[in-house]
Amino acid sequence: VLRLRAATDESWAARAVGNLEGVLVDHAHCELKAASNALSMAARHADDPAVVRVLTSLAHEEIEHFQAVNAHLEARGIRLGNPPTDPYVAALRRAHLTVGPSPVAGVVAGAVDRLLICALIEARSCERFALLAKALVPVDAALSAFYADLRAAEARHYRTFIDLAVHTSAGNEAAVFQRLEALSTAEGQIVLGRAGQAVDATIHG
Ligand SMILES: [Fe+2]
Ligand SMILES: [Fe+2]
């Protein structure tokens, strides 16, 4: 179960389908960032072979996602271009500063926060892909099926990051889930604050 506090605004899917080229470009960059983020997190956890194994596998899968989205771009003659800004992710990466001290004890608290923020980004992407898959059914059946597959992958990645956070906290599941609730509340406020703001929909906009 995804622990999202706020549902995406109803108008989002229609706006996304109306700006499909922009959404595909934004999405391709999201996958590329997910891959490079997983690799830089693997480097931060270099002392823990289990974490390195999981995160490098995840990076590998995110590269495959990127290549699949990029193939859709190429088939449509759309240039990848420079990455659009992602104010959602930027705000979420600052959320740990505003939600108070972590119940996770010790030096691993920061690492747990970073893993939980990754989990929430996966959860929100998962929700958005499900909405996109549904809205694309009458428009483009193949692209709809593509997003349904990716939805399942992102749900799995959400779980992976939660498991890594619990592992990093040395099994302090209660504290990790308490922190997840706090960060999830902040994530919901970011999403509600951005609802209706964006003229063109993006994956996290
Ligand atoms: Fe992905
Ligand atoms: Fe992912």
Side-chain angles (χ1 to χ4, degrees):
V1 178
L2 303 176
R3 303 213 175 191
L4 293 175
R5 288 294 183 85
T8 286
D9 187 77
E10 280 181 0
S11 66
W12 179 83
R15 286 189 291 121
V17 171
N19 177 35
L20 210 45
E21 291 203 358
V23 165
L24 283 168
V25 166
D26 181 55
H27 177 195
H29 280 291
C30 286
E31 300 291 0
L32 210 48
K33 287 178 212 166
S36 65
N37 177 61
L39 288 179
S40 70
M41 304 256 296
R44 279 173 179 271
H45 290 262
D47 290 340
D48 192 329
V51 177
V52 169
R53 192 182 336 112
V54 170
L55 285 174
T56 51
S57 296
L58 181 72
H60 192 264
E61 199 184 343
E62 301 291 19
I63 290 171
E64 287 176 346
H65 289 175
F66 167 76
Q67 289 174 327
V69 184
N70 198 43
H72 282 285
L73 290 181
E74 290 196 56
R76 288 160 189 256
I78 306 167
R79 288 176 69 92
L80 179 60
N82 292 321
T85 57
D86 195 335
Y88 161 82
V89 170
L92 192 53
R93 293 211 184 279
R94 290 191 303 270
H96 67 103
L97 302 170
T98 59
V99 295
S102 175
V104 176
V107 290
V108 295
V112 167
D113 275 356
R114 278 188 290 277
L115 290 163
L116 292 178
I117 284 166
C118 291
L120 288 168
I121 296 170
E122 297 283 355
R124 183 61 66 186
S125 306
C126 175
E127 185 223 23
R128 296 280 165 101
F129 291 167
L131 293 171
L132 205 47
K134 193 171 166 221
L136 281 168
V137 168
V139 180
D140 188 328
L143 204 56
S144 170
F146 175 65
Y147 276 106
D149 280 352
L150 285 184
R151 185 215 68 80
E154 305 308 358
R156 199 159 34 72
H157 296 170
Y158 165 77
R159 195 63 241 175
T160 298
F161 278 115
I162 300 288
D163 291 347
L164 287 175
V166 171
H167 170 86
T168 300
S169 76
N172 192 349
E173 206 165 297
V176 167
F177 279 99
Q178 196 184 327
R179 188 61 167 172
L180 177 62
E181 291 300 320
L183 290 169
S184 180
T185 299
E187 195 271 356
Q189 284 162 356
I190 293 166
V191 166
L192 291 176
R194 296 189 48 75
Q197 256 183 34
V199 178
D200 287 331
T202 55
I203 295 297
H204 300 127

